[in-house]
Amino acid sequence: MKNTIVGTLALLSAIAIANPIQAENLNHLNQLLGSKKCSQCDLSSAGLVLANLAGADLTGANLVNANLSQANLTGANLTGANLTGASLFGANLSGAILTDATLTGTDLRNAYLLNAQIEGVDLNSANLNGVKGISLEAGTAEQFHRWGVRENERGNYRAAIAHYHRAINLDPEFAPAYLGLGVIYYKHDEHSKAIANTELAVQLFEEQENQLGHQSSSQFLENMELALQIEADIEKRERGAANVGKFMGGVGSLLLQLLL
């Protein structure tokens, strides 16, 4: 029995020696939860789901792969923090300071970013699907357009539409965003919106002497209008066939009545 206990203690000691970072993480985690002050802390892979970290000092903290889903980070200071691969799904980051933070591959789906400070932050690889309150200062018209294209490819059409509109708010003459809206609206059978946005894209591309954009948008508009015309013709023929069927049925009833 003694040998077993001694062997177990030796094993635990060996694990502690071999993994000093894990012990340090635990100390830092306790520090954060106890005081909300953990500047420069190592909190990589920490489990902080639903944690109340409002106003916490996490400047320069290592939060790589940390799980902060639905955490309350209202007004938290995350200046220079490394959030690579971290999950902030549904987290409340309203008023948080994210200046110069690293958000490579960060999951920000459905997060709240109202009044968050995000100067010097690269959001190009972050997942922004459903993000709420994101400032127009978060990116350029080109960046919002790229995010829109990415969300469109993922099938997240609402998020894509929101990004395209942000691009247009930044640059009302940003033709690619109008074309992006035209494509999505056509997919969702909102044909009048699809045509209006595509026509505007064609006009802007032409004014800006963008030959590739003008050619692509013009071709899409032409094909869209052709497809809609074909659909209308088919519907008209089907409607006509249905009316003929009703007429023939009526004639049949009349003939039966004449035999009475």
Side-chain angles (χ1 to χ4, degrees):
M1 183 68 173
K2 287 183 179 180
N3 290 336
T4 302
I5 294 173
V6 170
T8 301
L9 290 173
L11 178 61
L12 291 174
S13 298
I15 292 174
I17 293 171
N19 297 279
I21 296 177
Q22 292 183 8
E24 183 181 3
N25 282 348
L26 184 58
N27 290 335
H28 286 179
L29 184 60
N30 290 333
Q31 177 184 335
L32 173 64
L33 296 176
S35 67
K36 293 188 180 180
K37 294 181 180 180
C38 213
S39 177
Q40 305 297 326
C41 283
D42 182 2
L43 297 163
S44 55
S45 301
L48 292 162
V49 177
L50 294 170
N52 182 8
L53 300 172
D57 179 8
L58 287 161
T59 55
N62 177 7
L63 288 157
V64 174
N65 295 324
N67 191 349
L68 290 149
S69 298
Q70 300 183 44
N72 181 5
L73 288 157
T74 305
N77 191 344
L78 289 150
T79 301
N82 188 349
L83 289 151
T84 299
S87 174
L88 288 160
F89 176 84
N92 190 348
L93 289 154
S94 299
I97 304 172
L98 290 158
T99 304
D100 296 325
T102 302
L103 296 173
T104 305
T106 304
D107 184 1
L108 284 164
R109 289 174 301 155
N110 298 332
Y112 296 83
L113 288 171
L114 185 65
N115 297 322
Q117 298 178 33
I118 48 180
E119 293 80 5
V121 176
D122 184 357
L123 291 168
N124 280 320
S125 66
N127 189 337
L128 301 173
N129 183 29
V131 68
K132 300 171 181 65
I134 189 169
S135 169
L136 291 179
E137 297 175 356
T140 62
E142 290 80 5
Q143 285 175 314
F144 278 117
H145 176 254
R146 280 199 296 270
W147 296 333
V149 171
R150 186 171 63 192
E151 297 301 346
N152 181 33
E153 291 173 345
R154 292 173 174 171
N156 300 324
Y157 300 118
R158 289 185 180 178
I161 289 172
H163 286 315
Y164 288 144
H165 279 300
R166 292 184 183 108
I168 291 169
N169 285 336
L170 285 168
D171 182 358
E173 296 186 349
F174 192 73
Y178 290 106
L179 180 57
L181 288 172
V183 171
I184 291 179
Y185 286 135
Y186 177 68
K187 285 181 180 178
H188 288 80
D189 294 328
E190 296 187 59
H191 298 149
S192 59
K193 288 184 179 180
I195 291 173
N197 279 279
T198 306
E199 286 179 339
L200 188 50
V202 171
Q203 177 186 336
L204 289 170
F205 278 128
E206 184 176 16
E207 291 174 356
Q208 295 160 12
E209 299 182 353
N210 185 325
Q211 293 183 358
L212 178 59
H214 183 260
Q215 180 180 355
S216 299
S217 55
S218 297
Q219 185 174 358
F220 174 65
L221 179 61
E222 181 181 342
N223 290 338
M224 175 170 52
E225 290 177 334
L226 177 61
L228 292 175
Q229 184 60 52
I230 291 172
E231 289 177 11
D233 290 343
I234 292 173
E235 184 179 351
K236 185 177 180 180
R237 284 199 297 270
E238 289 177 347
R239 216 172 26 242
N243 290 335
V244 170
K246 290 179 181 179
F247 173 74
M248 294 303 293
V251 171
S253 299
L254 178 60
L255 291 173
L256 287 174
Q257 290 177 18
L258 291 174
L259 294 173
L260 296 179

